[in-house]
Amino acid sequence: KNEVEQSPQNLTAQEGEFITINCSYSVGISALHWLQQHPGGGIVSLFMLSSGKKKHGRLIATINIQEKHSSLHITASHPRDSAVYICAVREGIGTDKLIFGTGTRLQVFP
Amino acid sequence: DVKVTQSSRYLVKRTGEKVFLECVQDMDHENMFWYRQDPGLGLRLIYFSYDVKMKEKGDIPEGYSVSREKKERFSLILESASTNQTSMYLCASSRRGVLYEQYFGPGTRLTVT
């Protein structure tokens, strides 16, 4: 069983739809990251959170530490949001290494 | 802005060749990482360096070695390339500590024939 699991693996949406991507983890963590990878490879960090909720533009990330679960929401989705979204966790406080989920591939159609 | 650069975007090598992948970061980060990314498997850590000349094995170090002689540069070496090392290789860097995110390079797509 993977320590970090994402769902769904693939997601298609029409422009304007509200999108939710889920991440569950089985280890104790000090932080959770949401990353975005566009075709071509480059990965950028969207959020780093250890509690509560963060918002940046149309993106919202939430985390429930007790339930070991995080969600990434995209409001008013747009074709340029099409990418792979990756959840990663930092296990405990003694390491700077991350454990990655396998990613959710999102395609938003006009 | 943090910049992480990798020496090549695409590389084709033959089985048995020695391959060098280089990564350079310009933000004086202590930590540097080498990952490989394969479909369905996500990113897997090959090696991690937390300081000059310091390294730690990741989840899949077999067949790889690394070198960090200067703080800004972290090299991944495939001593004798094999076809199962065909993959996307990503380098990242970060400051040391819980509060800091990792910054990724653009990736090198390596094909071993």
PDB file of all heavy atoms in Angstrom, chain A residues 37 39-42, chain B residues 6 8-10 21 34-39 42-44 46 85-90 105-111:
ATOM      1  N   GLN A  37       2.344  19.823 -12.412  1.00  0.00           N
ATOM      2  CA  GLN A  37       3.302  19.485 -13.475  1.00  0.00           C
ATOM      3  C   GLN A  37       2.597  19.572 -14.823  1.00  0.00           C
ATOM      4  O   GLN A  37       1.692  18.797 -15.117  1.00  0.00           O
ATOM      5  CB  GLN A  37       3.863  18.088 -13.272  1.00  0.00           C
ATOM      6  CG  GLN A  37       4.938  17.721 -14.287  1.00  0.00           C
ATOM      7  CD  GLN A  37       5.565  16.369 -14.004  1.00  0.00           C
ATOM      8  OE1 GLN A  37       4.919  15.470 -13.464  1.00  0.00           O
ATOM      9  NE2 GLN A  37       6.829  16.206 -14.366  1.00  0.00           N
ATOM     10  N   PRO A  39       2.613  19.403 -19.087  1.00  0.00           N
ATOM     11  CA  PRO A  39       3.300  18.582 -20.091  1.00  0.00           C
ATOM     12  C   PRO A  39       4.661  19.196 -20.420  1.00  0.00           C
ATOM     13  O   PRO A  39       4.790  20.402 -20.560  1.00  0.00           O
ATOM     14  CB  PRO A  39       2.354  18.649 -21.290  1.00  0.00           C
ATOM     15  CG  PRO A  39       1.023  18.952 -20.707  1.00  0.00           C
ATOM     16  CD  PRO A  39       1.275  19.788 -19.493  1.00  0.00           C
ATOM     17  N   GLY A  40       5.681  18.355 -20.521  1.00  0.00           N
ATOM     18  CA  GLY A  40       7.032  18.891 -20.719  1.00  0.00           C
ATOM     19  C   GLY A  40       7.879  18.727 -19.488  1.00  0.00           C
ATOM     20  O   GLY A  40       9.106  18.801 -19.573  1.00  0.00           O
ATOM     21  N   GLY A  41       7.276  18.507 -18.330  1.00  0.00           N
ATOM     22  CA  GLY A  41       8.035  18.073 -17.165  1.00  0.00           C
ATOM     23  C   GLY A  41       8.121  19.003 -15.994  1.00  0.00           C
ATOM     24  O   GLY A  41       8.114  18.529 -14.871  1.00  0.00           O
ATOM     25  N   GLY A  42       8.193  20.326 -16.180  1.00  0.00           N
ATOM     26  CA  GLY A  42       8.478  21.212 -15.058  1.00  0.00           C
ATOM     27  C   GLY A  42       7.449  21.115 -13.941  1.00  0.00           C
ATOM     28  O   GLY A  42       6.249  21.074 -14.184  1.00  0.00           O
TER      29      GLY A  42
ATOM     30  N   GLN B   6      19.065  22.068 -15.362  1.00  0.00           N
ATOM     31  CA  GLN B   6      19.630  20.743 -15.627  1.00  0.00           C
ATOM     32  C   GLN B   6      20.335  20.785 -16.969  1.00  0.00           C
ATOM     33  O   GLN B   6      19.925  21.520 -17.873  1.00  0.00           O
ATOM     34  CB  GLN B   6      18.511  19.686 -15.617  1.00  0.00           C
ATOM     35  CG  GLN B   6      17.888  19.533 -14.234  1.00  0.00           C
ATOM     36  CD  GLN B   6      16.857  18.435 -14.142  1.00  0.00           C
ATOM     37  OE1 GLN B   6      15.787  18.646 -13.600  1.00  0.00           O
ATOM     38  NE2 GLN B   6      17.168  17.267 -14.651  1.00  0.00           N
ATOM     39  N   SER B   8      20.712  18.894 -19.601  1.00  0.00           N
ATOM     40  CA  SER B   8      20.093  18.543 -20.880  1.00  0.00           C
ATOM     41  C   SER B   8      18.603  18.348 -20.690  1.00  0.00           C
ATOM     42  O   SER B   8      18.177  17.902 -19.631  1.00  0.00           O
ATOM     43  CB  SER B   8      20.681  17.238 -21.429  1.00  0.00           C
ATOM     44  OG  SER B   8      22.077  17.290 -21.501  1.00  0.00           O
ATOM     45  N   ARG B   9      17.798  18.659 -21.703  1.00  0.00           N
ATOM     46  CA  ARG B   9      16.367  18.310 -21.643  1.00  0.00           C
ATOM     47  C   ARG B   9      16.120  16.906 -22.170  1.00  0.00           C
ATOM     48  O   ARG B   9      15.261  16.196 -21.676  1.00  0.00           O
ATOM     49  CB  ARG B   9      15.545  19.297 -22.479  1.00  0.00           C
ATOM     50  CG  ARG B   9      15.437  20.701 -21.910  1.00  0.00           C
ATOM     51  CD  ARG B   9      14.818  20.712 -20.515  1.00  0.00           C
ATOM     52  NE  ARG B   9      13.526  20.053 -20.435  1.00  0.00           N
ATOM     53  CZ  ARG B   9      12.365  20.660 -20.637  1.00  0.00           C
ATOM     54  NH1 ARG B   9      12.310  21.919 -20.967  1.00  0.00           N
ATOM     55  NH2 ARG B   9      11.239  19.980 -20.502  1.00  0.00           N
ATOM     56  N   TYR B  10      16.891  16.525 -23.182  1.00  0.00           N
ATOM     57  CA  TYR B  10      16.762  15.204 -23.780  1.00  0.00           C
ATOM     58  C   TYR B  10      18.159  14.629 -23.982  1.00  0.00           C
ATOM     59  O   TYR B  10      19.083  15.339 -24.352  1.00  0.00           O
ATOM     60  CB  TYR B  10      16.056  15.272 -25.139  1.00  0.00           C
ATOM     61  CG  TYR B  10      14.661  15.833 -25.075  1.00  0.00           C
ATOM     62  CD1 TYR B  10      14.431  17.186 -25.301  1.00  0.00           C
ATOM     63  CD2 TYR B  10      13.569  15.019 -24.763  1.00  0.00           C
ATOM     64  CE1 TYR B  10      13.156  17.710 -25.228  1.00  0.00           C
ATOM     65  CE2 TYR B  10      12.288  15.540 -24.687  1.00  0.00           C
ATOM     66  CZ  TYR B  10      12.096  16.886 -24.922  1.00  0.00           C
ATOM     67  OH  TYR B  10      10.829  17.406 -24.842  1.00  0.00           O
ATOM     68  N   LEU B  21      24.445  13.433 -15.395  1.00  0.00           N
ATOM     69  CA  LEU B  21      23.383  14.434 -15.408  1.00  0.00           C
ATOM     70  C   LEU B  21      23.756  15.484 -14.370  1.00  0.00           C
ATOM     71  O   LEU B  21      24.051  15.153 -13.223  1.00  0.00           O
ATOM     72  CB  LEU B  21      22.029  13.806 -15.058  1.00  0.00           C
ATOM     73  CG  LEU B  21      21.547  12.673 -15.965  1.00  0.00           C
ATOM     74  CD1 LEU B  21      20.179  12.188 -15.502  1.00  0.00           C
ATOM     75  CD2 LEU B  21      21.495  13.095 -17.412  1.00  0.00           C
ATOM     76  N   TRP B  34      17.831  14.183  -6.317  1.00  0.00           N
ATOM     77  CA  TRP B  34      17.636  13.602  -7.640  1.00  0.00           C
ATOM     78  C   TRP B  34      16.496  12.598  -7.559  1.00  0.00           C
ATOM     79  O   TRP B  34      16.498  11.702  -6.716  1.00  0.00           O
ATOM     80  CB  TRP B  34      18.885  12.888  -8.154  1.00  0.00           C
ATOM     81  CG  TRP B  34      19.823  13.786  -8.883  1.00  0.00           C
ATOM     82  CD1 TRP B  34      21.044  14.228  -8.464  1.00  0.00           C
ATOM     83  CD2 TRP B  34      19.637  14.354 -10.187  1.00  0.00           C
ATOM     84  NE1 TRP B  34      21.619  15.034  -9.407  1.00  0.00           N
ATOM     85  CE2 TRP B  34      20.780  15.129 -10.473  1.00  0.00           C
ATOM     86  CE3 TRP B  34      18.615  14.276 -11.136  1.00  0.00           C
ATOM     87  CZ2 TRP B  34      20.934  15.834 -11.676  1.00  0.00           C
ATOM     88  CZ3 TRP B  34      18.758  14.982 -12.323  1.00  0.00           C
ATOM     89  CH2 TRP B  34      19.913  15.744 -12.583  1.00  0.00           C
ATOM     90  N   TYR B  35      15.512  12.768  -8.472  1.00  0.00           N
ATOM     91  CA  TYR B  35      14.368  11.876  -8.571  1.00  0.00           C
ATOM     92  C   TYR B  35      14.309  11.290  -9.982  1.00  0.00           C
ATOM     93  O   TYR B  35      14.778  11.889 -10.939  1.00  0.00           O
ATOM     94  CB  TYR B  35      13.059  12.650  -8.372  1.00  0.00           C
ATOM     95  CG  TYR B  35      12.881  13.322  -7.049  1.00  0.00           C
ATOM     96  CD1 TYR B  35      13.150  14.683  -6.892  1.00  0.00           C
ATOM     97  CD2 TYR B  35      12.400  12.612  -5.942  1.00  0.00           C
ATOM     98  CE1 TYR B  35      12.959  15.311  -5.679  1.00  0.00           C
ATOM     99  CE2 TYR B  35      12.205  13.241  -4.722  1.00  0.00           C
ATOM    100  CZ  TYR B  35      12.484  14.594  -4.596  1.00  0.00           C
ATOM    101  OH  TYR B  35      12.291  15.212  -3.386  1.00  0.00           O
ATOM    102  N   ARG B  36      13.653  10.141 -10.090  1.00  0.00           N
ATOM    103  CA  ARG B  36      13.208   9.681 -11.399  1.00  0.00           C
ATOM    104  C   ARG B  36      11.702   9.552 -11.362  1.00  0.00           C
ATOM    105  O   ARG B  36      11.104   9.261 -10.321  1.00  0.00           O
ATOM    106  CB  ARG B  36      13.890   8.400 -11.857  1.00  0.00           C
ATOM    107  CG  ARG B  36      13.628   7.163 -11.095  1.00  0.00           C
ATOM    108  CD  ARG B  36      14.339   5.950 -11.724  1.00  0.00           C
ATOM    109  NE  ARG B  36      13.602   5.418 -12.867  1.00  0.00           N
ATOM    110  CZ  ARG B  36      14.023   4.407 -13.622  1.00  0.00           C
ATOM    111  NH1 ARG B  36      15.174   3.820 -13.364  1.00  0.00           N
ATOM    112  NH2 ARG B  36      13.301   3.978 -14.638  1.00  0.00           N
ATOM    113  N   GLN B  37      11.097   9.792 -12.531  1.00  0.00           N
ATOM    114  CA  GLN B  37       9.649   9.776 -12.625  1.00  0.00           C
ATOM    115  C   GLN B  37       9.240   8.847 -13.737  1.00  0.00           C
ATOM    116  O   GLN B  37       9.630   9.034 -14.892  1.00  0.00           O
ATOM    117  CB  GLN B  37       9.114  11.187 -12.899  1.00  0.00           C
ATOM    118  CG  GLN B  37       7.604  11.286 -12.894  1.00  0.00           C
ATOM    119  CD  GLN B  37       7.121  12.689 -13.158  1.00  0.00           C
ATOM    120  OE1 GLN B  37       7.735  13.452 -13.886  1.00  0.00           O
ATOM    121  NE2 GLN B  37       5.999  13.058 -12.541  1.00  0.00           N
ATOM    122  N   ASP B  38       8.452   7.845 -13.406  1.00  0.00           N
ATOM    123  CA  ASP B  38       7.973   6.857 -14.365  1.00  0.00           C
ATOM    124  C   ASP B  38       6.457   6.786 -14.284  1.00  0.00           C
ATOM    125  O   ASP B  38       5.884   6.938 -13.196  1.00  0.00           O
ATOM    126  CB  ASP B  38       8.585   5.489 -14.052  1.00  0.00           C
ATOM    127  CG  ASP B  38      10.102   5.519 -14.122  1.00  0.00           C
ATOM    128  OD1 ASP B  38      10.622   5.640 -15.238  1.00  0.00           O
ATOM    129  OD2 ASP B  38      10.763   5.435 -13.068  1.00  0.00           O
ATOM    130  N   PRO B  39       5.810   6.524 -15.424  1.00  0.00           N
ATOM    131  CA  PRO B  39       4.333   6.480 -15.444  1.00  0.00           C
ATOM    132  C   PRO B  39       3.798   5.495 -14.417  1.00  0.00           C
ATOM    133  O   PRO B  39       4.265   4.363 -14.317  1.00  0.00           O
ATOM    134  CB  PRO B  39       4.034   6.013 -16.882  1.00  0.00           C
ATOM    135  CG  PRO B  39       5.220   6.435 -17.670  1.00  0.00           C
ATOM    136  CD  PRO B  39       6.397   6.306 -16.749  1.00  0.00           C
ATOM    137  N   GLY B  42       5.022   7.661 -10.042  1.00  0.00           N
ATOM    138  CA  GLY B  42       5.279   8.942  -9.395  1.00  0.00           C
ATOM    139  C   GLY B  42       6.764   9.225  -9.276  1.00  0.00           C
ATOM    140  O   GLY B  42       7.602   8.554  -9.888  1.00  0.00           O
ATOM    141  N   LEU B  43       7.110  10.204  -8.475  1.00  0.00           N
ATOM    142  CA  LEU B  43       8.506  10.556  -8.265  1.00  0.00           C
ATOM    143  C   LEU B  43       9.112   9.673  -7.187  1.00  0.00           C
ATOM    144  O   LEU B  43       8.536   9.511  -6.111  1.00  0.00           O
ATOM    145  CB  LEU B  43       8.637  12.012  -7.827  1.00  0.00           C
ATOM    146  CG  LEU B  43       8.510  13.047  -8.926  1.00  0.00           C
ATOM    147  CD1 LEU B  43       7.126  13.617  -8.961  1.00  0.00           C
ATOM    148  CD2 LEU B  43       9.515  14.155  -8.722  1.00  0.00           C
ATOM    149  N   ARG B  44      10.264   9.137  -7.492  1.00  0.00           N
ATOM    150  CA  ARG B  44      10.990   8.320  -6.524  1.00  0.00           C
ATOM    151  C   ARG B  44      12.379   8.911  -6.305  1.00  0.00           C
ATOM    152  O   ARG B  44      13.061   9.267  -7.273  1.00  0.00           O
ATOM    153  CB  ARG B  44      11.084   6.877  -7.027  1.00  0.00           C
ATOM    154  CG  ARG B  44       9.738   6.151  -7.071  1.00  0.00           C
ATOM    155  CD  ARG B  44       9.898   4.737  -7.575  1.00  0.00           C
ATOM    156  NE  ARG B  44      10.265   4.719  -8.980  1.00  0.00           N
ATOM    157  CZ  ARG B  44      10.726   3.628  -9.604  1.00  0.00           C
ATOM    158  NH1 ARG B  44      10.869   2.496  -8.944  1.00  0.00           N
ATOM    159  NH2 ARG B  44      11.034   3.674 -10.880  1.00  0.00           N
ATOM    160  N   ILE B  46      16.179   9.129  -5.698  1.00  0.00           N
ATOM    161  CA  ILE B  46      17.370   8.331  -5.975  1.00  0.00           C
ATOM    162  C   ILE B  46      18.436   8.630  -4.914  1.00  0.00           C
ATOM    163  O   ILE B  46      18.937   7.727  -4.252  1.00  0.00           O
ATOM    164  CB  ILE B  46      17.927   8.629  -7.379  1.00  0.00           C
ATOM    165  CG1 ILE B  46      16.853   8.419  -8.451  1.00  0.00           C
ATOM    166  CG2 ILE B  46      19.136   7.730  -7.678  1.00  0.00           C
ATOM    167  CD1 ILE B  46      17.265   8.891  -9.836  1.00  0.00           C
ATOM    168  N   GLN B  85      16.923   2.125 -17.080  1.00  0.00           N
ATOM    169  CA  GLN B  85      17.151   3.458 -16.546  1.00  0.00           C
ATOM    170  C   GLN B  85      16.607   4.544 -17.478  1.00  0.00           C
ATOM    171  O   GLN B  85      16.775   5.744 -17.216  1.00  0.00           O
ATOM    172  CB  GLN B  85      18.634   3.680 -16.267  1.00  0.00           C
ATOM    173  CG  GLN B  85      19.136   2.822 -15.109  1.00  0.00           C
ATOM    174  CD  GLN B  85      20.606   2.987 -14.849  1.00  0.00           C
ATOM    175  OE1 GLN B  85      21.440   2.903 -15.761  1.00  0.00           O
ATOM    176  NE2 GLN B  85      20.968   3.222 -13.591  1.00  0.00           N
ATOM    177  N   THR B  86      15.950   4.122 -18.548  1.00  0.00           N
ATOM    178  CA  THR B  86      15.219   5.065 -19.391  1.00  0.00           C
ATOM    179  C   THR B  86      14.099   5.668 -18.560  1.00  0.00           C
ATOM    180  O   THR B  86      13.258   4.945 -18.017  1.00  0.00           O
ATOM    181  CB  THR B  86      14.638   4.349 -20.619  1.00  0.00           C
ATOM    182  OG1 THR B  86      15.713   3.944 -21.468  1.00  0.00           O
ATOM    183  CG2 THR B  86      13.688   5.253 -21.383  1.00  0.00           C
ATOM    184  N   SER B  87      14.103   6.988 -18.429  1.00  0.00           N
ATOM    185  CA  SER B  87      13.159   7.639 -17.526  1.00  0.00           C
ATOM    186  C   SER B  87      13.287   9.150 -17.644  1.00  0.00           C
ATOM    187  O   SER B  87      14.171   9.677 -18.326  1.00  0.00           O
ATOM    188  CB  SER B  87      13.450   7.218 -16.075  1.00  0.00           C
ATOM    189  OG  SER B  87      12.466   7.696 -15.185  1.00  0.00           O
ATOM    190  N   MET B  88      12.403   9.843 -16.923  1.00  0.00           N
ATOM    191  CA  MET B  88      12.540  11.293 -16.726  1.00  0.00           C
ATOM    192  C   MET B  88      13.266  11.501 -15.396  1.00  0.00           C
ATOM    193  O   MET B  88      12.850  10.947 -14.373  1.00  0.00           O
ATOM    194  CB  MET B  88      11.174  11.955 -16.694  1.00  0.00           C
ATOM    195  CG  MET B  88      11.188  13.408 -16.252  1.00  0.00           C
ATOM    196  SD  MET B  88      11.921  14.501 -17.490  1.00  0.00           S
ATOM    197  CE  MET B  88      10.437  14.957 -18.375  1.00  0.00           C
ATOM    198  N   TYR B  89      14.326  12.299 -15.433  1.00  0.00           N
ATOM    199  CA  TYR B  89      15.095  12.581 -14.222  1.00  0.00           C
ATOM    200  C   TYR B  89      14.897  14.043 -13.835  1.00  0.00           C
ATOM    201  O   TYR B  89      15.082  14.957 -14.643  1.00  0.00           O
ATOM    202  CB  TYR B  89      16.576  12.288 -14.442  1.00  0.00           C
ATOM    203  CG  TYR B  89      16.838  10.812 -14.559  1.00  0.00           C
ATOM    204  CD1 TYR B  89      16.722  10.157 -15.784  1.00  0.00           C
ATOM    205  CD2 TYR B  89      17.151  10.049 -13.432  1.00  0.00           C
ATOM    206  CE1 TYR B  89      16.927   8.777 -15.881  1.00  0.00           C
ATOM    207  CE2 TYR B  89      17.357   8.691 -13.524  1.00  0.00           C
ATOM    208  CZ  TYR B  89      17.241   8.064 -14.753  1.00  0.00           C
ATOM    209  OH  TYR B  89      17.435   6.703 -14.838  1.00  0.00           O
ATOM    210  N   LEU B  90      14.514  14.237 -12.577  1.00  0.00           N
ATOM    211  CA  LEU B  90      14.237  15.577 -12.077  1.00  0.00           C
ATOM    212  C   LEU B  90      15.144  15.883 -10.898  1.00  0.00           C
ATOM    213  O   LEU B  90      15.300  15.072  -9.989  1.00  0.00           O
ATOM    214  CB  LEU B  90      12.779  15.694 -11.643  1.00  0.00           C
ATOM    215  CG  LEU B  90      11.789  15.708 -12.804  1.00  0.00           C
ATOM    216  CD1 LEU B  90      10.473  15.066 -12.406  1.00  0.00           C
ATOM    217  CD2 LEU B  90      11.548  17.140 -13.261  1.00  0.00           C
ATOM    218  N   GLY B 105      13.929  21.438 -11.184  1.00  0.00           N
ATOM    219  CA  GLY B 105      14.438  21.735 -12.508  1.00  0.00           C
ATOM    220  C   GLY B 105      13.468  21.257 -13.577  1.00  0.00           C
ATOM    221  O   GLY B 105      12.463  20.612 -13.268  1.00  0.00           O
ATOM    222  N   PRO B 106      13.763  21.546 -14.858  1.00  0.00           N
ATOM    223  CA  PRO B 106      12.846  21.211 -15.943  1.00  0.00           C
ATOM    224  C   PRO B 106      12.826  19.719 -16.310  1.00  0.00           C
ATOM    225  O   PRO B 106      11.939  19.287 -17.034  1.00  0.00           O
ATOM    226  CB  PRO B 106      13.379  22.030 -17.127  1.00  0.00           C
ATOM    227  CG  PRO B 106      14.811  22.220 -16.812  1.00  0.00           C
ATOM    228  CD  PRO B 106      14.916  22.307 -15.335  1.00  0.00           C
ATOM    229  N   GLY B 107      13.782  18.967 -15.811  1.00  0.00           N
ATOM    230  CA  GLY B 107      13.806  17.533 -16.096  1.00  0.00           C
ATOM    231  C   GLY B 107      14.686  17.191 -17.290  1.00  0.00           C
ATOM    232  O   GLY B 107      14.873  17.992 -18.208  1.00  0.00           O
ATOM    233  N   THR B 108      15.230  15.982 -17.251  1.00  0.00           N
ATOM    234  CA  THR B 108      15.987  15.413 -18.377  1.00  0.00           C
ATOM    235  C   THR B 108      15.333  14.099 -18.746  1.00  0.00           C
ATOM    236  O   THR B 108      15.228  13.201 -17.913  1.00  0.00           O
ATOM    237  CB  THR B 108      17.453  15.155 -18.000  1.00  0.00           C
ATOM    238  OG1 THR B 108      18.111  16.384 -17.710  1.00  0.00           O
ATOM    239  CG2 THR B 108      18.185  14.431 -19.135  1.00  0.00           C
ATOM    240  N   ARG B 109      14.896  14.014 -20.003  1.00  0.00           N
ATOM    241  CA  ARG B 109      14.332  12.745 -20.455  1.00  0.00           C
ATOM    242  C   ARG B 109      15.465  11.918 -21.050  1.00  0.00           C
ATOM    243  O   ARG B 109      15.994  12.254 -22.109  1.00  0.00           O
ATOM    244  CB  ARG B 109      13.216  12.957 -21.469  1.00  0.00           C
ATOM    245  CG  ARG B 109      12.489  11.664 -21.803  1.00  0.00           C
ATOM    246  CD  ARG B 109      11.182  11.900 -22.529  1.00  0.00           C
ATOM    247  NE  ARG B 109      10.155  12.541 -21.697  1.00  0.00           N
ATOM    248  CZ  ARG B 109       9.423  11.920 -20.773  1.00  0.00           C
ATOM    249  NH1 ARG B 109       9.617  10.649 -20.520  1.00  0.00           N
ATOM    250  NH2 ARG B 109       8.513  12.580 -20.104  1.00  0.00           N
ATOM    251  N   LEU B 110      15.831  10.864 -20.364  1.00  0.00           N
ATOM    252  CA  LEU B 110      16.933   9.996 -20.784  1.00  0.00           C
ATOM    253  C   LEU B 110      16.392   8.737 -21.430  1.00  0.00           C
ATOM    254  O   LEU B 110      15.529   8.062 -20.854  1.00  0.00           O
ATOM    255  CB  LEU B 110      17.809   9.629 -19.572  1.00  0.00           C
ATOM    256  CG  LEU B 110      18.891   8.582 -19.824  1.00  0.00           C
ATOM    257  CD1 LEU B 110      19.966   9.133 -20.741  1.00  0.00           C
ATOM    258  CD2 LEU B 110      19.511   8.118 -18.507  1.00  0.00           C
ATOM    259  N   THR B 111      16.901   8.442 -22.597  1.00  0.00           N
ATOM    260  CA  THR B 111      16.581   7.193 -23.280  1.00  0.00           C
ATOM    261  C   THR B 111      17.868   6.394 -23.426  1.00  0.00           C
ATOM    262  O   THR B 111      18.870   6.909 -23.939  1.00  0.00           O
ATOM    263  CB  THR B 111      15.979   7.447 -24.675  1.00  0.00           C
ATOM    264  OG1 THR B 111      14.801   8.250 -24.529  1.00  0.00           O
ATOM    265  CG2 THR B 111      15.606   6.140 -25.351  1.00  0.00           C
TER     266      THR B 111
END
